[in-house]
Amino acid sequence: MTVSWHDVTALSEAHERLLAGMPVGSVVRDPIQASWRRCRSLGLEPDHRGNLPYQQDPDDVFTLADAARPVLEDLESRLSGIRMTVLLSDEHARVLQRRVGEPPLNRYLDSIQLAPGFAIPEEVIGTNGIGTALATRRPAFVCGREHYSDHWRDIACAGAPVRDPLSGHVIGVLDLTCLRVHSQSSMLAMALDAAHDIETQLLRRATSRERALLQAVHAARRRTTTGGPVRPGTPAADMLDSHDQRILEESADGLISLGRAGLAEVQLPRGRTAVLHCRPVTSPSGVTGFAVEAVIPPGVMHRLTPTEHEAAPPDTTPRFPSPRGRPVVVESPEMAAFPATGPPAEPSTRTDPWLLAVGEPGIVRLAARARERLGLLYDASACVGTTLDVTRTAEELTELVAPRFADFAAVDLPPAVLLGEEPIRVDGPLRRAAITGIHEDSPLYAAGDLVTFAASTPQARSLTSEDPVLEPELVKAAGWLAHDRSGGEKVLDAGVHSLITVPMRARGTVLGVVSFYRSRLQEPFDDDDLSLAEEFVGRAALCIDNARRFTREHAVALALQRSLLPRGLPAQRAVEAAHRYLPARSGVGGDWFDVIPLSGARVALVVGDVVGHGLHAAATMGRLRTAVHNFSSLDLAVDEVLAHLDDLVARLQLDQQEAEKGSQGETAGQEIIGGSCLYAVYDPTTRRCTLARAGHPPPALVLPDGTVEYLELPAGPPLGLGGHPFETAEVDVPEGSLLVLYTDGLLEHIGDRDVALGLDQLRRLLAHPARTPEQTCLALDALMTTHPDDDVAVLVARTRALDADHVATWDVPAEPAVVSRIRSEVISQLTRWGLEELAYTTALTTSELVTNAIRYGGEPITLRLVRDRTLICEVSDGSSTSPHLRRAHTTDEGGRGLYLVAQLVQRWGTRYGAHGKIIWTEQPLKPLRNRPVAFDAALPIEAI
């Protein structure tokens, strides 16, 4: 027994059985069950909530929208105060208009993107009133859990197809939508009546001759048909597949071309037979023509008829008024009006005659040809320009026209256009971007070849005059052979006999030339073909220009991003590092990484991710990366770096909001500034790593034996929220371990959008001992064979440790008398290291720093020398008083020591810890030559 659409529990259970691959049985209405199966075969997920296709103000629906306007206005006035919305869509399920509806209902529809501009075809969103009506070309009533998508289960939709009254093709859907609790089956009858009224408005726009012939057919049908009322223009092909339709239409055209009445039997596939009846018709005004109808055997055609079903629960909602206060009559062989409380009807057979074609002898062949041209133009709008790739767009154009319009088609573009640049000149060499033909071994230039057309060739004349050139008989084209006599003769010998060349113009710029050749098609090109070729090329030119502009903008954004990312890793000995950056499929992103040498032989490892893609994200990434460098140069603590970065992002957000207000919306719609960051500092002298993160995935630590663990760091908030603290964690890292920092794009890519699965996949990939960072990156390369949906940044660092004999440490008592002893021990240590040349400057530097710590600092005082790539001298004390470099006056007794130190060393600075500060200096291992010194270096140290 079929359940009512109000039985949510039964429908939900049936839906779960379908998803589990179990039989549903007869508990769900046949049309709904068939739609569910189609959705499942397409791989649709009920809980998927991706962005629907969107197009604002489409250019090809003005006729439908204009014809529907008075009908929609009438509906709007009659439905005022009733909790229901009226929607009109085009033949692609794109919502054109949404009328009436209470604000709460409209807000809910906005949340599921059931709004103007969004397309809701069944293959994207699943079972729904508009998409399913277009998929089946029949009226569709979908209520509550009958929707395939979980997000649509609270609404009811009743969609009625709107047909072209002359051709019978479905060109749109009139849909009534409300909340499920307010649904009634009479919604569909009302939608059918409104759709019929729209078709009537469309018929009024036809020519008087078209209307006269159609009226004559209807009059003849009323005199001979006994099968009940039939709505004009309903084609038999709605119940047949496209192959059956083509056979019947071609046979009907042939009968009309003969110009006499008669019967014809047409064989359909799978042993079926249809009978065509061709009869003359004459309108009251004297317009004569022929009409062809088909009679289809039982079992082939179906229609919807009323059946008995269980009554729905009592409904206390307001009744929807019948149009114009009269009973709804549905004039269609496919459907009948639903009863007020009954569910949708079920299919049954019918053998009434169906109108196939109307025309006049002598013009049917022209009409068929015009129909074929319109089909080509329609396919051009749908098939050309599906990507923003110049070469692929050119290939789509040639694949469309060959062999339907020409036997060979070629697109030649300047190399600059293929690179996204403006074409400075088109009279030079062109690159063959695409060529398609009836066979591959054509005598024409191949794709990728450089072609230089002589001035007398049709292509060159098209480029010069910016007008198309028609050569109906190529053998008589005088300038054709001037380009390449031997090659031209091969083309003629291959049977090519007719040519059209059309310049590709877009927005006032000539982008290239398109050539159409005929060989197997015996008819030469004519003026009609020339007009059609111009239409093809004109549409493709806009697509190629859009792709060219996108290529240029993408190249600019990519160049900006590459200039902002590190071009190489800086020299340092704390870690051995390797990195990978993989841009997203959609374009430039905001991921970045960095390796920053710090004082004391330490190194900072940074990975960050900025929200969004494009130039805005790349520019924001550059600003944040520069800020991290600045904060690191100040030797700030790890958590302080993230706190300052968070404050910077918050201020950038405020600046953007102020800019949007001041520009009155000119910059509105920019992406919100925000992101995540992981900041780690590794000290090779202690083998300790200090880390903190802001909304970022945790790093992986690979021990030398191949064991992988994800470090449990305090989860800080994403950058830009403000007002939240960041916490650090310290980890002992054995020498030779790998620290793997990455962005969330890596997990989403290798885990197919499942972060947990991505973490597990990454663990298995990293669990290999004795791998170098570069080998680890190569393993990731093998895993990421395609461009991900989000960009990916990975930084792999293998830790090193300084040998104990490269570090010398002294505990210094707070007594001035120990300075000379410390100075002597420093000189002795440098002698053991073989750095005697640095003894004088280092002893002087150490003496000054230790004296300052004794005089102005607090205990404990420690001196440390580190021999790394440079000679590092560090003096720590328990005071947080900050030293300042200044120029002493002639009357000052002190204040010159730090200035002298700055003259002697390469770099110096101060960093603060939990228990005081450290003043550090760095000197190259070879003394600086010819460096000016602000004192007499011949004086003994004691004199200074």
Side-chain angles (χ1 to χ4, degrees):
M1 178 181 294
T2 303
V3 300
S4 169
W5 64 83
H6 293 276
D7 194 342
V8 178
T9 302
L11 288 171
S12 298
E13 293 175 353
H15 194 259
E16 294 298 327
R17 288 197 299 272
L18 177 84
L19 296 178
M22 300 171 60
V24 177
S26 59
V27 297
V28 183
R29 292 190 291 123
D30 288 344
I32 299 300
Q33 192 172 153
S35 175
W36 285 2
R37 291 198 184 99
R38 289 194 299 270
C39 297
R40 186 172 182 270
S41 66
L42 293 171
L44 295 183
E45 296 293 338
D47 58 349
H48 178 64
R49 196 169 186 173
N51 290 329
L52 299 179
Y54 180 81
Q55 180 181 357
Q56 188 175 11
D57 299 331
D59 298 329
D60 54 349
V61 294
F62 289 129
T63 300
L64 175 61
D66 289 345
R69 183 176 294 110
V71 180
L72 297 181
E73 290 175 351
D74 180 59
L75 277 176
E76 189 171 10
S77 63
R78 290 187 291 109
L79 296 178
S80 178
I82 294 180
R83 291 168 288 189
M84 181 174 63
T85 293
V86 181
L87 300 107
L88 177 70
S89 81
D90 64 6
E91 58 187 317
H92 306 294
R94 184 172 54 238
V95 178
L96 305 178
Q97 294 188 29
R98 191 177 73 189
R99 299 289 190 101
V100 226
E102 293 182 334
L105 173 60
N106 288 336
R107 284 194 296 269
Y108 178 77
L109 297 182
D110 288 337
S111 69
I112 61 174
Q113 297 180 318
L114 186 51
F118 289 98
I120 52 172
E122 188 183 68
E123 61 269 18
V124 173
I125 200 61
T127 311
N128 67 88
I130 292 177
T132 303
L134 288 172
T136 61
R137 304 174 68 84
R138 299 181 182 182
F141 180 78
V142 186
C143 183
R145 199 59 193 88
E146 290 183 332
H147 287 93
Y148 191 79
S149 172
D150 294 339
H151 306 289
W152 287 48
R153 62 174 61 183
D154 292 329
I155 63 173
C157 308
V162 178
R163 303 175 184 274
D164 185 324
L166 297 178
S167 67
H169 295 305
V170 174
I171 59 175
V173 174
L174 189 284
D175 178 88
L176 302 182
T177 294
C178 65
L179 293 177
R180 177 181 59 83
V181 295
H182 303 148
S183 62
Q184 294 186 35
S185 59
S186 58
M187 292 166 56
L188 185 58
M190 189 174 188
L192 288 167
D193 193 77
H196 181 267
D197 289 345
I198 296 175
E199 294 170 0
T200 302
Q201 295 292 331
L202 289 169
L203 183 60
R204 293 174 180 172
R205 296 169 179 264
T207 65
S208 58
R209 191 173 190 85
E210 289 171 334
R211 290 197 301 270
L213 280 175
L214 203 57
Q215 289 171 0
V217 173
H218 299 159
R221 174 174 291 169
R222 283 192 294 271
R223 291 192 299 268
T224 59
T225 300
T226 60
V230 178
R231 186 170 63 180
T234 302
D238 279 3
M239 300 297 114
L240 304 173
D241 59 30
S242 59
H243 185 55
D244 296 335
Q245 177 183 359
R246 186 166 57 254
I247 293 175
L248 293 176
E249 288 181 348
E250 290 176 355
S251 301
D253 291 343
L255 288 175
I256 296 175
S257 299
L258 295 176
R260 60 177 183 270
L263 296 172
E265 194 174 75
V266 179
Q267 295 297 324
L268 297 175
R270 300 184 296 277
R272 296 170 298 158
T273 303
V275 178
L276 302 187
H277 179 204
C278 181
R279 59 185 177 184
V281 291
T282 304
S283 71
S285 59
V287 176
T288 61
F290 284 85
V292 177
E293 293 178 326
V295 178
I296 312 298
V300 178
M301 306 301 295
H302 296 78
R303 72 182 182 92
L304 294 176
T305 56
T307 58
E308 296 295 332
H309 291 276
E310 297 177 353
D315 189 4
T316 59
T317 57
R319 304 296 298 176
F320 298 145
S322 178
R324 294 174 295 279
R326 58 178 174 80
V328 176
V329 178
V330 183
E331 298 180 343
S332 171
E334 298 177 38
M335 65 204 75
F338 285 169
T341 58
E346 301 297 334
S348 65
T349 59
R350 184 183 177 91
T351 58
D352 292 337
W354 293 75
L355 175 63
L356 277 179
V358 178
E360 299 174 75
I363 67 169
V364 172
R365 191 173 301 277
L366 295 176
R369 190 173 180 184
R371 185 165 58 245
E372 181 181 357
R373 291 170 184 249
L374 289 175
L376 275 171
L377 289 175
Y378 172 81
D379 291 343
S381 63
C383 302
V384 179
T386 59
T387 67
L388 288 172
D389 182 83
V390 174
T391 301
R392 181 56 195 152
T393 303
E395 292 171 349
E396 289 172 345
L397 172 61
T398 60
E399 292 168 358
L400 171 72
V401 300
R404 297 170 63 182
F405 174 73
D407 294 311
F408 297 94
V411 179
D412 300 307
L413 304 173
V417 173
L418 295 171
L419 297 175
E421 304 294 335
E422 291 281 351
I424 301 175
R425 50 181 298 180
V426 292
D427 56 348
L430 303 180
R431 180 77 64 183
R432 178 138 295 180
I435 180 170
T436 302
I438 55 177
H439 50 77
E440 296 183 357
D441 55 341
S442 70
L444 302 171
Y445 289 103
D449 290 348
L450 274 177
V451 185
T452 302
F453 293 106
S456 59
T457 59
Q459 289 87 349
R461 285 152 47 199
S462 292
L463 292 172
T464 302
S465 64
E466 299 187 9
D467 291 321
V469 174
L470 169 63
E471 295 289 356
E473 297 182 58
L474 194 56
V475 70
K476 297 181 180 179
W480 167 253
L481 296 178
H483 169 58
D484 182 1
R485 178 168 292 276
S486 61
E489 290 177 350
K490 290 181 180 179
V491 172
L492 295 176
D493 293 342
V496 176
H497 59 84
S498 191
L499 168 67
I500 288 178
T501 62
V502 182
M504 185 170 284
R505 294 190 302 269
R507 300 179 177 93
T509 302
V510 177
L511 302 176
V513 64
V514 184
S515 305
F516 304 94
Y517 304 86
R518 275 187 178 173
S519 59
R520 187 184 60 181
L521 297 173
Q522 297 301 316
E523 294 183 1
F525 287 119
D526 56 22
D527 291 337
D528 290 338
D529 295 322
L530 185 65
S531 300
L532 186 59
E534 286 188 274
E535 288 284 346
F536 288 144
V537 176
R539 298 187 182 201
L542 289 175
C543 297
I544 285 183
D545 191 54
N546 290 337
R548 178 190 65 81
R549 291 169 182 264
F550 171 80
T551 301
R552 180 184 60 189
E553 293 175 2
H554 181 72
V556 170
L558 197 59
L560 172 63
Q561 185 193 42
R562 287 174 177 171
S563 68
L564 296 174
L565 285 173
R567 299 189 178 182
L569 298 181
Q572 45 78 38
R573 290 185 180 177
V575 296
E576 174 192 355
H579 60 87
R580 285 295 185 273
Y581 176 78
L582 188 63
R585 183 187 301 111
S586 58
V588 175
D591 289 14
W592 91 91
F593 59 89
D594 236 324
V595 177
I596 307 173
L598 302 177
S599 64
R602 301 170 305 142
V603 66
L605 307 174
V606 192
V607 167
D609 186 0
V610 173
V611 173
H613 296 86
L615 281 173
H616 184 66
T620 303
M621 176 270 289
R623 300 170 78 173
L624 297 187
R625 178 171 176 255
T626 302
V628 170
H629 270 267
N630 292 335
F631 299 146
S632 299
S633 67
L634 297 175
D635 270 322
L636 298 177
V638 172
D639 55 337
E640 292 182 11
V641 170
L642 291 185
H644 284 287
L645 200 62
D646 179 61
D647 182 61
L648 172 64
V649 173
R651 283 187 281 118
L652 291 177
Q653 291 177 355
L654 291 176
D655 292 344
Q656 177 176 304
Q657 293 172 3
E658 293 297 328
E660 290 181 355
K661 293 179 182 178
S663 61
Q664 297 180 349
E666 293 178 6
T667 60
Q670 287 188 351
E671 297 179 14
I672 298 175
I673 298 176
S676 64
C677 183
L678 173 62
Y679 187 83
V681 174
Y682 173 70
D683 189 342
T685 62
T686 62
R687 300 180 180 87
R688 292 185 68 82
C689 186
T690 306
L691 310 94
R693 60 180 176 139
H696 206 82
L701 174 63
V702 185
L703 300 177
D705 62 357
T707 303
V708 181
E709 60 176 298
Y710 291 104
L711 300 180
E712 295 183 1
L713 308 182
L719 298 174
L721 295 184
H724 297 275
F726 296 95
E727 300 180 48
T728 62
E730 289 192 357
V731 180
D732 290 321
V733 181
E735 183 180 2
S737 300
L738 291 180
L739 282 169
V740 183
L741 287 67
Y742 50 89
T743 57
D744 57 359
L746 174 66
L747 301 179
E748 294 176 358
H749 183 58
I750 65 178
D752 194 18
R753 296 184 177 275
D754 188 332
V755 174
L757 179 60
L759 288 171
D760 187 58
Q761 292 272 36
L762 182 60
R763 183 191 298 272
R764 287 200 294 268
L765 182 140
L766 297 176
H768 291 274
R771 262 187 184 169
T772 66
E774 183 60 30
Q775 289 172 340
T776 302
C777 290
L778 291 175
L780 286 171
D781 292 340
L783 193 62
M784 298 186 295
T785 56
T786 60
H787 282 288
D789 294 332
D790 191 12
D791 47 343
V792 174
V794 180
L795 179 61
V796 183
R798 183 164 65 179
T799 60
R800 295 168 175 161
L802 283 177
D803 294 336
D805 59 355
H806 282 209
V807 181
T809 305
W810 294 270
D811 293 328
V812 181
E815 301 175 2
V818 302
V819 175
S820 59
R821 177 177 61 83
I822 293 296
R823 189 164 52 232
S824 299
E825 293 181 3
V826 166
I827 293 174
S828 299
Q829 182 65 49
L830 294 179
T831 302
R832 287 193 294 271
W833 283 344
L835 301 176
E836 294 87 348
E837 293 182 335
L838 299 178
Y840 181 82
T841 55
T842 305
L844 179 58
T845 300
T846 303
S847 177
E848 178 60 38
L849 295 182
V850 170
T851 301
N852 282 344
I854 294 173
R855 179 176 299 178
Y856 305 110
E859 293 185 302
I861 301 173
T862 303
L863 168 64
R864 187 174 74 160
L865 292 182
V866 179
R867 182 186 177 185
D868 191 37
R869 296 179 57 255
T870 60
L871 179 62
I872 301 170
C873 176
E874 296 181 342
V875 176
S876 63
D877 64 76
S879 171
S880 298
T881 303
S882 176
H884 294 284
L885 181 67
R886 67 185 182 91
R887 187 181 297 275
H889 299 291
T890 55
T891 58
D892 292 342
E893 294 184 2
R896 298 175 178 83
L898 198 56
Y899 175 75
L900 296 179
V901 170
Q903 303 300 309
L904 291 171
V905 300
Q906 187 177 38
R907 296 173 61 229
W908 76 278
T910 305
R911 67 176 183 268
Y912 298 89
H915 306 290
K917 68 177 181 296
I918 298 175
I919 302 178
W920 56 268
T921 66
E922 287 186 7
Q923 302 175 70
L925 296 183
K926 291 187 178 296
L928 297 175
R929 304 297 183 185
N930 302 322
R931 178 163 183 169
V933 181
F935 62 93
D936 187 355
L939 292 175
I941 293 176
E942 289 76 4
I944 302 176

